[in-house]
Amino acid sequence: MYSFWLGVGAFALYLIYDINSFTWKHKAPGTFFLAGTFCLATATMWDLREAWYAGALSGTGDVLLLTGALACFVALVYTLFFALPFRETYVEQSHKRRVYSGGVYALCRHPGILCFWGTYLLLGLAALPSVMIGRCLLFSGLDLAYAWFQDRITFPRIFCDYSDYQKQVPFLIPTKTSISMARETLFSHRNEEDAL
């Protein structure tokens, strides 16, 4: 039950972090994203530990599922922290911020969700028959709701060109055009940073 509340609390902290970014703009809630991530990671580890003690996570199939979950998690970390031009995104945040629409962000507007879902679905399947599959479905649903909030409320307020981005790139499900654009621009921001 603790993991349930930790996971729900994580998304509440993410929401406060986002609301702060376009309303209060105080420094204190800036740490809420990190705190939320810590809560979600703790909830996940707690459920994995419970599944382990219940006898799950021991078969060959489970090892393959856990390996897939790890690959999705690495893709998630890449998407959130390395697929964006680091300097523009995290260091030099100007008052008039612009969307980065290359690489995986040309694929869809919220590519992290796909990685998040893959991570939690595979973890939940590996941990069967524990309660973790329910938690994974819950956390994935909360992640989708959070992305919808960002897409409709947060990002249009903090990015000056977000409405154009919404017209050009699909919300979640990649299209043939977005796949082609992602492939063309995948490493373009690396080359731009090297040139600076």
Side-chain angles (χ1 to χ4, degrees):
M1 197 57 155
Y2 291 117
S3 62
F4 171 85
W5 291 113
L6 277 170
V8 170
F11 285 95
L13 289 169
Y14 291 154
L15 194 61
I16 294 168
Y17 171 81
D18 266 49
I19 292 169
N20 179 65
S21 70
F22 63 85
T23 54
W24 315 303
K25 298 181 182 177
H26 291 296
K27 289 186 179 180
T31 59
F32 282 25
F33 185 85
L34 183 60
T37 302
F38 178 77
C39 288
L40 189 59
T42 302
T44 303
M45 295 309 291
W46 189 301
D47 282 339
L48 283 172
R49 180 180 168 272
E50 294 296 316
W52 175 267
Y53 284 121
L57 309 173
S58 57
T60 304
D62 295 336
V63 171
L64 292 174
L65 289 168
L66 290 171
T67 302
L70 179 62
C72 288
F73 177 73
V74 169
L76 177 62
V77 170
Y78 168 77
T79 299
L80 295 178
F81 301 107
F82 298 101
L84 297 164
F86 187 83
R87 191 177 307 144
E88 294 171 19
T89 305
Y90 300 108
V91 180
E92 299 171 356
Q93 295 183 355
S94 65
H95 176 66
K96 198 171 184 180
R97 294 175 66 185
R98 301 187 70 79
V99 172
Y100 176 73
S101 59
V104 294
Y105 289 93
L107 195 62
C108 66
R109 296 195 302 269
H110 298 275
I113 289 183
L114 303 175
C115 304
F116 185 95
W117 286 357
T119 301
Y120 277 91
L121 176 64
L122 294 172
L123 285 176
L125 292 173
L128 285 173
S130 73
V131 298
M132 188 165 189
I133 190 72
R135 301 263 201 276
C136 292
L137 292 172
L138 171 68
F139 296 162
S140 294
L142 289 172
D143 193 41
L144 178 60
Y146 176 55
W148 180 88
F149 182 84
Q150 288 181 315
D151 198 68
R152 298 296 169 192
I153 310 293
T154 307
F155 292 161
R157 286 171 170 80
I158 64 173
F159 295 110
C160 63
D161 57 346
Y162 199 74
S163 61
D164 293 333
Y165 182 57
Q166 287 174 309
K167 291 172 190 167
Q168 296 168 358
V169 178
F171 174 70
L172 191 59
I173 308 301
T175 63
K176 186 177 179 181
T177 303
S178 71
I179 291 169
S180 176
M181 184 60 80
R183 195 173 36 237
E184 288 174 20
T185 62
L186 188 57
F187 298 104
S188 64
H189 75 272
R190 300 260 186 254
N191 296 334
E192 290 167 10
E193 285 188 341
D194 290 343
L196 293 176

